[in-house]
């Protein structure tokens, strides 16, 4: 096999001393951010132990979760994080791809600037090579998902990137759920598939349930509403309100105590009666008072206790009804067809069913022995759902495992050797940056990086662009069925191009003087649908 490497970027003269500080003020921040995420890249990536702001310890290898947890001060690092998180929101994955490729391209840009290439010319040449890369990308799409084809083979590849031991069963469940909830015109809405994580049992015990399933339990005698469910959501305790201010009841006799107790119970019963006049299902996120529950049974109210506020917020979005902070009826309760409890071994779930579009039609109930395993499985499932959504928009697939990046590097290198002016070195530098991604895959797999890259270069020079990086060496991605969606890869390349072009023109960081009258803006992160686990 011909192991000749593609043309490398030429050794340009150093017009500035090597000890001079970075010409790109953002390069050091990009290096630091990439150093954190590089060990997590690819299916053989390692995990991070994160300590959250609340003091909880979370084990994860998901780049988007790691970026959310980092406390960043450098503006360039924040800009890179925004680009990576935007990629993760749009395609479900690819945050590490954006950060690592952006860092590699900034490092190559620094080298060209040191050789004397003006920033304006570099930015113009970079825009040209980015456009050329996006134009070449569709030519590498050698596989597509047919309109009537089972998508499990395509989803399995995407879900395997989350380093789960067993993805075949989960990939089959995701494929079935996505296929069953497709629109008549072939479209797909990700919100039609819900995800519910229940601790316990094995991952192979994961299953599909109709409607939306949430971890929770019916608490009273009413355990189901089989038609015309009207749902109220209470973000408070189901019982007497807790006073926020210290108060003391002044009682002078036993009769006063009896009247006080009767008045309190009468008020609670009146509130429950008002609630029952509007709704027949109440979902509560706080504690449940036994006497108040007795009144609920009297008026035929189904009371459900949900432990997670995240589930309440998601249910509020789906039902289009607000969370009520007090034991009062909502202005407009949420409506669904039926609500009932479902036992799954030793675990309990509550199921909400609809027949209207825009609501969850199926829920994938995940089981697992550990919280970490459930989080990783949940990330994999969301990745599969997002991938199917992308395939419904564009069914084309690209070779995975670094094969696409290596093929693009070869094509850009061949073109760069024929170009004159600043475009030639910039094309070659861009190709070098692309090659850093399969190098990282080989490094994280514990392989001899020079040998693996030499074999890959030889195969791609011989015209076999389906060769990528596997666990034990190079692989044929078509035979191993390792694919990336075209739409996600294109989005990632656009995100990298945008953020790098912005940072190319930054020569310094200026920090404004802080004013106590102007608190920092803390915009919450946008959520596409249900909040993903950390």
């Amino acid at each position: 096999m011909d192991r000749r490497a593609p043309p490398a970027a030429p050794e340009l003269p150093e017009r500035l001393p090597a000890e001079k500080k970075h010409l790109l003020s953002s390069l050091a921040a990009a290096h630091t951010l990439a150093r954190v995420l590089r060990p997590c890249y690819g299916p053989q990536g390692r995990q991070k132990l994160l300590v959250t702001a609340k003091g909880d310890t979370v084990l994860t290898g998901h780049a988007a979760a790691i970026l959310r947890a980092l406390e960043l001060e450098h503006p360039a690092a924040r800009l890179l994080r925004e680009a990576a998180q935007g990629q993760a929101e749009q395609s479900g994955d690819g945050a590490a791809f954006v950060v690592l490729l952006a860092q590699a391209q900034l490092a190559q840009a620094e080298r060209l600037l040191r050789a004397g290439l003006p920033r304006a010319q570099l930015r113009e040449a970079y825009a040209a090579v980015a456009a050329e890369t996006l134009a070449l990308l569709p030519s590498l799409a050698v596989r597509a998902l047919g309109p009537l084809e089972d998508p499990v083979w395509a989803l399995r590849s995407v879900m395997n990137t989350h380093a789960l031991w067993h993805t075949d069963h989960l990939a089959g469940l995701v494929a079935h759920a996505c296929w069953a909830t497709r629109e008549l015109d072939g479209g797909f809405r990700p919100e039609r598939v819900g995800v519910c994580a229940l601790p316990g049992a094995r991952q192979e015990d994961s299953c599909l349930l109709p409607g939306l399933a949430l971890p929770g339990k019916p608490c009273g005698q009413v355990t189901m509403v089989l038609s015309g469910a009207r749902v109220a959501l209470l973000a408070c305790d189901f019982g007497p309100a807790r006073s926020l201010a210290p108060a003391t009841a002044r009682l002078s006799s036993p009769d006063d105590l009896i009247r006080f107790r009767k008045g309190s119970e009468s008020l609670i019963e009146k509130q429950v009666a008002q609630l029952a006049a509007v709704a027949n299902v109440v979902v509560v996120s706080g504690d449940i008072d036994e006497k108040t529950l007795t009144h609920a049974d009297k008026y035929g109210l189904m009371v459900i206790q949900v432990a997670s506020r995240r589930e309440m917020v998601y249910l509020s979005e789906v039902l289009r009804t607000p969370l009520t902070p007090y034991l009062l009826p909502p202005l407009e309760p949420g409506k669904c067809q039926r609500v009932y409890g479902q036992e799954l071994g030793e675990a309990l779930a509550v199921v909400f069913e609809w027949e209207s579009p825009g609501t969850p039609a199926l829920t994938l109930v995940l089981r697992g022995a550990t919280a970490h395993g459930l989080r990783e499985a949940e990330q994999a499932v969301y990745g599969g759902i997002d991938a199917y959504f992308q395939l419904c928009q564009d069914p084309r697939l690209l070779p995975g495992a670094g094969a696409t990046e290596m093929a693009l590097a070869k094509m850009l290198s061949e073109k760069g050797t024929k170009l004159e002016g600043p475009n030639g070195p910039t094309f070659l530098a861009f190709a070098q940056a692309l090659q850093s991604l399969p190098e990282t895959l080989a490094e994280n797999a514990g392989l001899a990086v020079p040998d693996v890259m030499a074999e890959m270069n030889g195969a791609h020079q011989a015209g076999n662009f389906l060769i990528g990086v596997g666990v034990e060496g190079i692989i044929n991605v078509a035979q191993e069925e390792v694919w990336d969606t075209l739409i996600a890869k294109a989005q990632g390349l656009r995100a990298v191009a945008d953020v790098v072009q912005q940072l190319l023109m930054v020569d310094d960081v200026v920090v404004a003087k802080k004013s106590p009258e102007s608190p920092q803006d803390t915009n919450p992160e946008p959520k596409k649908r249900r909040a993903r686990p950390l």
Side-chain angles (χ1 to χ4, degrees), residues 241-247 326:
R242 298 179 182 178
S243 176
L244 299 179
Y326 305 104

Side-chain angles (χ1 to χ4, degrees), residues 26-38 70 72 77 99 103:
S26 55
L27 184 56
H31 275 314
T32 302
L33 207 56
R35 187 167 62 250
V36 173
L37 296 183
R38 184 170 285 109
L70 290 177
L72 302 178
V99 172
Q103 178 269 329

Side-chain angles (χ1 to χ4, degrees), residues 262-495:
K262 287 184 178 180
S264 177
E265 292 179 5
S266 175
L267 175 62
I268 292 296
E269 183 175 2
K270 181 180 179 180
Q271 290 176 330
V272 172
Q274 292 174 345
L275 194 59
V278 177
N280 52 14
V281 177
V282 178
V283 183
V284 183
S285 61
D287 297 330
I288 294 180
D289 177 67
E290 290 297 329
K291 290 185 178 180
T292 309
L293 186 61
T294 303
H295 295 312
D297 292 335
K298 174 183 175 181
Y299 289 97
L301 268 177
M302 179 180 181
V303 180
I304 300 168
Q305 187 176 34
V306 176
S308 172
R309 181 172 176 82
R310 189 186 74 170
E311 308 290 354
M312 291 287 289
V313 172
Y314 179 56
L315 194 58
S316 173
E317 294 174 356
V318 173
L319 290 170
R320 296 183 178 88
T321 186
L323 294 173
T324 304
Y326 305 104
L327 188 60
L328 294 173
L331 295 177
E332 184 66 31
K335 297 179 181 179
C336 61
Q337 186 177 9
R338 62 179 65 92
V339 181
Y340 57 92
Q342 178 73 49
E343 292 187 5
L344 296 170
E346 72 285 359
L348 291 173
V350 179
V351 180
F352 298 79
E353 288 190 26
W354 294 264
E355 289 186 352
S356 58
T359 55
L362 286 173
T363 296
L364 201 163
V365 180
L366 295 172
R367 308 304 309 277
T370 64
H372 169 64
L374 281 174
R375 277 193 299 269
E376 293 296 306
E378 195 169 357
Q379 291 290 354
V381 168
Y382 277 124
I385 295 171
D386 289 328
Y388 187 77
F389 176 66
Q390 295 159 18
L391 290 171
C392 288
Q393 295 176 309
D394 188 335
R396 291 174 291 178
L397 290 154
L398 297 167
T404 294
E405 289 81 359
M406 187 62 72
L408 288 172
K410 171 181 175 292
M411 291 186 285
L412 293 176
S413 296
E414 290 175 348
K415 186 165 185 177
T417 56
K418 302 174 183 178
L419 295 175
E420 297 180 356
N423 281 7
T426 306
F427 269 65
L428 295 175
F430 200 106
Q432 288 291 313
L434 284 169
Q435 286 193 43
S436 67
L437 295 175
E439 286 178 359
T440 302
L441 290 176
E443 180 182 352
N444 289 345
L447 304 174
V449 176
D451 295 342
V452 171
M453 294 304 296
E455 289 187 61
M456 282 190 70
N457 282 326
H460 281 258
Q461 289 296 318
N464 189 355
F465 66 92
L466 295 176
I467 298 300
V469 180
V471 179
E472 300 178 356
I474 63 172
I475 59 171
N476 186 305
V477 298
Q479 295 175 0
E480 300 293 332
E481 291 192 337
V482 182
W483 305 100
D484 293 329
T485 60
L486 173 63
I487 191 170
K489 187 73 71 176
Q491 286 173 352
L493 288 171
R494 291 190 192 97

